[in-house]
Amino acid sequence: MAKKKEKEIVDISSLTPEEKRKRIEAAMDVLREYSPMVSFLDEAMSNVKSFEDTGCYILNALVSGHLRGGFPEARMSLLAAESSTGKTYIALQTAAKAQQAGKQIVIFDSEFAIDHEFASNLGLDTSKIIYFPVKTIEQCKNAVYKFLSNVHDLGLVGQFFIVIDSLGAMISEMDYKRMEKNSDSKDMGSYAGSMKSLIKACNSLAGMTQTTIICTNHIYDDPGAMFTSLVKPMPGGKIVRYLPTTIVQLSANNVKAGDKDRKIDEEAAAGSHGEVGIEVRGLGVKNRICKPLNEAYMYISFENGLSKYYGLMDLACALGALKNVGGRIRDAETDEFYGYSKDIQFDAEFWEGFIDKLQPYIEKAWHYKTEAERRAAIKKDVEMEQEIMNADINED
């Protein structure tokens, strides 16, 4: 029997760059048998190529580091807050912007609180929204998985925007069966396990199908904690905090007409106690695009919705782009007088002309100073995610 001839090993140093590239591409064909999405990293689907505008400049900057940015496309993001802080409002306003840009909106609603009138008032065309009322975590997970798998198979990659409102209102299938049996036994882990599966499915499928997913969740104070924490706990376990690309924690205060501290002169549609809206504090709890733990203030008017410009003046002064001298707003570099603070706050013409000048100040303060610093922060997140995954394997 003839001896099998050994393959000749090519001296790679003798190849031209073009020949080397062709051989590498040929080697990648084996990987493409397992996944057609294999590519070089500069072309990978994991790269954030664009953002979903929130309709609010300062919120855009908080989640992306860019005033003209927003929530990262093809990623999962999370809005965490107590009730009446605007998390559903912000998620749907971002969805409205996405719809105007041509995206198909899908809403998974576990709170049964999103109706036609509410969505229409935010500018959404409700006749084109896919609405899915959620019963359990497992139902939501399976529906998201099968739906986005179908989206991929139909070639509709990059066409969808999903809102899941909310994670905290869902119960596990096990809990639902307990209620059917009139059982008062406590959940011994099925909720956390089911939530892990849902979050993992959303995270991977968002990238595979280039679908933006925004989830909302509840937060609460830990009564057993010795000290009050800046970052509040959330239901769902560690994985809810570590897998999303961005997490914004919201808190709010009521605002009355003529509030001098917040420079609100609005008189219309005041409530029975004079409230005209809420001031929302956003804290970037987690962010893989810019530095975490930045904060910004937004304003949601009961009459006019989420302000596009509120908070920019205070931020610009804090970062050194503007200076406030006795209520007079001046350019920090040229000392040019722009107007009084009460007039500048909501001045669309001024801010549209000043946004590009403010952006470098935000980048200096909120972006990582070096690429190595950014990579180190991401590495820390990835290590924590791996720890969670390993814990899951050990549990299984």
Side-chain angles (χ1 to χ4, degrees):
M1 184 176 179
K3 186 178 180 180
K4 186 177 180 181
K5 187 178 180 181
E6 293 185 2
K7 290 185 178 180
E8 183 181 353
I9 298 176
V10 178
D11 181 5
I12 197 168
S13 64
S14 66
L15 301 177
T16 65
E18 292 77 15
E19 291 172 332
K20 183 178 177 181
R21 177 82 176 194
K22 286 180 180 179
R23 286 178 179 266
I24 292 173
E25 288 278 3
M28 289 170 64
D29 286 342
V30 174
L31 298 177
R32 292 190 180 100
E33 292 177 9
Y34 295 92
S35 172
M37 293 176 286
V38 171
S39 68
F40 290 100
L41 185 56
D42 63 341
E43 302 170 348
M45 297 181 77
S46 60
N47 296 325
V48 177
K49 301 177 180 65
S50 55
F51 300 92
E52 303 283 6
D53 182 17
T54 67
C56 173
Y57 276 135
I58 201 165
L59 180 56
N60 284 349
L62 185 64
V63 294
S64 68
H66 296 276
L67 290 159
R68 301 187 189 278
F71 287 106
E73 286 190 337
R75 297 288 185 93
M76 177 175 61
S77 296
L78 179 65
L79 290 166
E82 295 178 347
S83 62
S84 303
T85 50
K87 58 184 182 295
T88 302
Y89 186 103
I90 290 171
L92 290 186
Q93 174 157 309
T94 308
K97 292 288 183 181
Q99 188 182 60
Q100 292 164 16
K103 296 287 182 71
Q104 171 62 54
I105 310 302
V106 184
I107 296 174
F108 290 85
D109 183 8
S110 66
E111 298 188 357
F112 299 91
I114 299 175
D115 58 24
H116 161 75
E117 184 177 0
F118 178 39
S120 295
N121 289 340
L122 290 174
L124 283 156
D125 182 351
T126 58
S127 68
K128 296 179 180 178
I129 292 176
I130 300 171
Y131 178 80
F132 187 104
V134 174
K135 183 178 176 182
T136 64
I137 303 171
E138 289 85 352
Q139 182 196 39
C140 185
K141 176 199 69 175
N142 293 335
V144 168
Y145 171 76
K146 290 182 179 179
F147 176 71
L148 289 181
S149 296
N150 202 31
V151 163
H152 180 268
D153 294 343
L154 292 171
L156 295 173
V157 170
Q159 300 301 307
F160 288 84
F161 182 106
I162 291 177
V163 174
I164 300 178
D165 185 46
S166 67
L167 300 178
M170 296 185 199
I171 63 172
S172 68
E173 194 73 39
M174 185 69 71
D175 257 347
Y176 202 89
K177 289 178 179 178
R178 287 192 185 100
M179 286 188 285
E180 289 179 338
K181 296 178 181 179
N182 199 29
S183 170
D184 58 359
S185 61
K186 294 183 179 180
D187 190 314
M188 299 301 291
S190 63
Y191 174 85
S194 299
M195 187 60 71
K196 285 179 184 178
S197 296
L198 171 60
I199 297 301
K200 288 177 183 178
C202 288
N203 187 62
S204 61
L205 290 167
M208 289 175 62
T209 62
Q210 297 292 281
T211 300
T212 304
I213 301 178
I214 295 183
C215 303
T216 67
N217 201 5
H218 305 151
I219 60 173
Y220 55 89
D221 289 316
D222 183 359
M226 183 175 295
F227 301 103
T228 302
S229 174
L230 178 66
V231 178
K232 304 296 183 183
M234 291 186 288
K238 289 182 179 180
I239 201 161
V240 177
R241 186 172 300 282
Y242 286 104
L243 276 191
T245 296
T246 59
I247 301 177
V248 178
Q249 181 178 290
L250 305 175
S251 58
N253 288 308
N254 291 334
V255 175
K256 294 186 177 183
D259 189 321
K260 294 181 179 179
D261 291 335
R262 299 182 178 89
K263 306 173 185 67
I264 302 293
D265 295 323
E266 189 175 12
E267 299 289 347
S272 58
H273 297 286
E275 299 91 346
V276 293
I278 57 173
E279 184 184 52
V280 180
R281 173 180 176 263
L283 177 68
V285 171
K286 180 194 173 182
N287 201 315
R288 285 191 170 179
I289 301 170
C290 59
K291 289 181 179 179
L293 299 182
N294 294 315
E295 67 176 14
Y297 288 84
M298 299 155 273
Y299 175 60
I300 300 178
S301 164
F302 296 153
E303 181 78 4
N304 303 309
L306 181 62
S307 171
K308 189 175 184 178
Y309 307 105
Y310 183 85
L312 288 176
M313 184 181 66
D314 291 337
L315 179 63
C317 290
L319 297 182
L322 295 175
K323 56 184 180 180
N324 187 337
V325 183
R328 296 173 174 84
I329 304 300
R330 295 182 177 276
D331 191 292
E333 295 178 4
T334 66
D335 204 40
E336 179 183 354
F337 175 64
Y338 290 128
Y340 292 94
S341 59
K342 64 183 179 65
D343 300 321
I344 293 293
Q345 181 80 289
F346 298 103
D347 189 338
E349 184 178 356
F350 170 76
W351 287 115
E352 291 299 340
F354 194 77
I355 284 297
D356 291 333
K357 189 169 184 178
L358 177 58
Q359 178 60 35
Y361 289 87
I362 289 177
E363 291 178 9
K364 183 178 179 181
W366 287 7
H367 286 205
Y368 291 106
K369 291 182 176 61
T370 65
E371 180 63 16
E373 188 180 60
R374 185 183 76 87
R375 288 181 181 275
I378 292 176
K379 183 173 181 283
K380 185 177 179 181
D381 268 344
V382 171
E383 288 173 349
M384 181 57 71
E385 289 172 15
Q386 190 59 52
E387 183 181 323
I388 294 169
M389 300 299 183
N390 291 340
D392 291 348
I393 293 171
N394 293 333
E395 287 175 6
D396 295 339

